[in-house]
């Protein structure tokens, strides 16, 4: 029971950290993000919050790192040393939390510009997130034992 509560605590800490971080970046760049796309290059925060700016690049690198962490879950089935670390259910929990956090960070990295070829990739990612939510819901509905 102690191990389960520690796991839940880590999950909630990860959720809180992800949401807090995204909220902090959104708050810092609120003046920039709320402007129409055409007016953003003239804003004082453009050099920082544009996708190729200081904060934008850092958000992109963080997103890439977190995507790598997300893909550890499916790799766990094929890499022997990962199979020995933790339980599959716990890996799935972290996979889900990161899968919900990454789109927030990617959205901020893209400066809410969600059109063009990059926009297509973004909306495909969002479709994957929605299918993951549906899959997790269905997974929870399946009985643990089949009689």
């Amino acid at each position: 029971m102690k191990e389960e509560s520690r796991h839940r605590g880590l999950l909630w800490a990860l959720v809180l950290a992800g949401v807090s971080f995204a909220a902090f970046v959104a708050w810092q760049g609120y003046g920039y993000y709320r402007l129409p796309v055409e007016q953003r290059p003239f804003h004082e925060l453009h050099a920082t919050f544009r996708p190729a700016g200081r904060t934008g690049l850092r958000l992109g690198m963080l997103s890439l790192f977190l995507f790598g962490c997300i893909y550890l879950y499916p790799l766990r089935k094929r890499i022997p040393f990962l199979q020995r670390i933790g339980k599959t259910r716990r890996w799935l929990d972290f996979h889900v939390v990161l899968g919900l956090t990454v789109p927030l960070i990617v959205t901020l990295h893209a400066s809410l510009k969600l059109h063009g070829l990059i926009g297509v990739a973004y909306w495909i990612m969002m479709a994957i997130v929605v299918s993951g939510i549906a899959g997790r819901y269905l997974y929870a509905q399946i009985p643990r034992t089949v009689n």
Side-chain angles (χ1 to χ4, degrees):
M1 187 66 175
K2 181 179 177 182
E3 186 178 336
E4 183 67 28
S5 63
R6 192 180 113 213
H7 172 70
R8 292 253 178 248
L10 283 172
L11 275 178
W12 280 110
L14 186 61
V15 168
L16 182 62
V19 171
S20 298
F21 177 75
F24 176 74
V25 172
W27 176 70
Q28 289 287 313
Y30 177 74
Y32 177 74
Y33 291 133
R34 70 177 173 84
L35 288 176
V37 175
E38 312 81 50
Q39 294 177 8
R40 288 183 185 175
F42 307 108
H43 194 274
E44 61 193 26
L45 295 175
H46 182 68
T48 303
F49 286 99
R50 68 189 181 109
R54 226 177 21 247
T55 300
L57 283 174
R58 289 180 179 150
L59 290 171
M61 288 186 277
L62 177 61
S63 299
L64 180 64
F65 172 75
L66 293 177
F67 266 120
C69 292
I70 287 172
Y71 288 113
L72 285 175
Y73 175 70
L75 288 176
R76 184 180 192 272
K77 296 177 183 177
R78 296 189 173 35
I79 300 175
F81 84 89
L82 290 176
Q83 294 171 358
R84 293 188 293 267
I85 302 172
K87 298 178 181 176
T88 303
R89 179 171 169 246
R90 300 219 169 125
W91 280 70
L92 177 62
D93 290 340
F94 281 104
H95 176 82
V96 168
V97 169
L98 290 176
L100 294 172
T101 304
V102 168
L104 293 172
I105 297 169
V106 168
T107 303
L108 292 171
H109 161 68
S111 297
L112 307 175
K113 293 190 268 185
L114 309 173
H115 55 276
L117 183 59
I118 298 302
V120 171
Y122 176 82
W123 291 111
I124 290 172
M125 176 188 68
M126 294 308 289
I128 292 169
V129 169
V130 169
S131 73
I133 292 169
R136 184 64 176 110
Y137 172 77
L138 291 174
Y139 176 79
Q141 300 305 311
I142 298 172
R144 297 287 181 239
T145 59
V146 179
N147 292 334

